[in-house]
Amino acid sequence: MTRLASARALLIAPTEAQSVDLEVRSYETDASGRVTMGTVLRYLEHVATRASDELGFGAQWYEAAGTAWVVRDLRVLPGRMPGIGHPLSLSTWISTSGLVQANREYLIRDKRSGGPVARAQARWAYVDRVSGQPRRISPELTERLPVLGHALPKAEVLPDDLGELVSTTGLLEVTPRGYEADVQQHTNNAVYADWLDEALRLATGAAGLRFATLRPRETQMTYLSPVLTGERVTIHTTLRRPRPHCLVAQQSIRRVPGSDEVLRATTTVRVSAT
């Protein structure tokens, strides 16, 4: 398969994938009138929740079973972010499944242009609802959740030397609010993307760059520890330039006091002329 054919294959969901349509709401965009990465992650959560519910595994089922799914790793390849009113098609499917975790794939397409909004993959762990410890995936789930393959290929490993240091920011401090928590009482995974976005805006400004000229190509996020309402965290961002018109943003979210890392993220960005 050629590189071009392989790239096109990434933008096709298997016919058995579960899908839902929606339109971009005005409150889901930022000042530019387009959705952000945080909104994209909320779309991913929405379609995954709907897919599980359609198979008979809704919130009440998980509550009765005393279990939950928590995201461990997330990789997103964003396309062109849609604006208010754009009709979207959200698709999801399981590509691989093990004893205590599964990889879920996602594809979001703009139905107006036909172009991709995002292709993503998340590694979800099945855990005890109270202790957070891994649990063997319920046989009932295993029997009814189809494994369809079509996994996102592994990401290219970045070299240790990422080139010229562009900027390193001071620590942006935030305190999670109650309305940012999920049903597990943890800060929702999409909220971290909002924080990272804000920190990246500050870092690019410090480097004399316009945030609007950045075109994210890939984001990888590793969730290391949950954050509860009221706990303070700091976000540190380092920008490096491995080649002209390309930046790599390395970001870390840490709990304070102390320095326990709760999330690690790397975003590869193309810098356009306008």
Side-chain angles (χ1 to χ4, degrees):
M1 181 181 291
T2 67
R3 171 179 277 188
L4 180 59
S6 177
R8 287 175 175 168
L10 293 178
L11 304 180
I12 301 175
T15 55
E16 303 93 334
Q18 295 169 276
S19 300
V20 62
D21 293 342
L22 57 78
E23 288 188 358
V24 177
R25 280 68 61 110
S26 60
Y27 54 83
E28 294 175 329
T29 67
D30 64 7
S32 72
R34 296 189 177 277
V35 303
T36 64
M37 182 64 75
T39 298
V40 168
L41 266 57
R42 290 174 176 89
Y43 289 161
L44 302 186
E45 181 177 341
H46 173 65
V47 67
T49 301
R50 283 285 299 271
S52 182
D53 189 66
E54 288 176 2
L55 293 174
F57 305 108
Q60 292 182 339
W61 186 92
Y62 288 107
E63 186 174 357
T67 59
W69 291 97
V70 295
V71 65
R72 299 300 193 199
D73 296 291
L74 179 63
R75 182 173 166 223
V76 183
L77 280 62
R80 181 172 175 78
M81 294 294 102
I84 298 171
H86 279 233
L88 304 180
S89 174
L90 285 56
S91 299
T92 188
W93 65 97
I94 303 295
S95 58
T96 62
S97 182
L99 292 178
V100 298
Q101 63 184 10
N103 283 329
R104 179 173 284 279
E105 310 289 324
Y106 307 85
L107 176 62
I108 303 177
R109 297 186 67 92
D110 187 328
K111 296 178 69 175
R112 182 180 297 176
S113 67
V117 171
R119 176 70 168 87
Q121 180 188 77
R123 179 171 66 90
W124 289 89
Y126 193 63
V127 301
D128 183 272
R129 199 176 188 89
V130 177
S131 69
Q133 293 300 307
R135 287 267 297 269
R136 189 184 183 102
I137 298 175
S138 164
E140 189 176 354
L141 278 167
T142 302
E143 291 172 4
R144 298 176 64 182
L145 288 176
V147 178
L148 304 179
H150 296 270
L152 194 63
K154 290 184 178 180
E156 180 181 355
V157 177
L158 294 173
D160 292 333
D161 183 6
L162 290 174
E164 171 195 1
L165 177 64
V166 177
S167 77
T168 180
T169 68
L171 299 180
L172 171 66
E173 184 173 306
V174 296
T175 302
R177 306 300 183 184
Y179 56 78
E180 295 174 319
D182 59 22
V183 294
Q184 303 303 314
Q185 312 309 309
H186 302 155
T187 299
N188 186 275
N189 71 85
V191 172
Y192 296 99
D194 296 332
W195 297 345
L196 295 175
D197 180 85
E198 182 66 21
L200 183 56
R201 290 172 186 265
L202 292 175
T204 53
L209 299 170
R210 292 178 58 243
F211 185 78
T213 66
L214 305 186
R215 300 291 181 266
R217 292 307 188 194
E218 181 172 340
T219 295
Q220 298 180 55
M221 302 169 65
T222 299
Y223 297 84
L224 302 170
S225 176
V227 176
L228 303 178
T229 298
E231 291 186 322
R232 291 183 298 136
V233 297
T234 56
I235 304 98
H236 185 271
T237 303
T238 298
L239 294 179
R240 292 188 178 273
R241 182 179 287 115
R243 56 185 181 275
H245 308 296
C246 178
L247 293 175
V248 174
Q250 295 175 303
Q251 297 179 282
S252 176
I253 301 179
R254 295 180 179 273
R255 186 179 283 108
V256 291
S259 59
D260 295 339
E261 192 172 31
V262 300
L263 183 140
R264 186 181 307 128
T266 300
T267 300
T268 304
V269 178
R270 182 175 67 85
V271 183
S272 65
T274 57

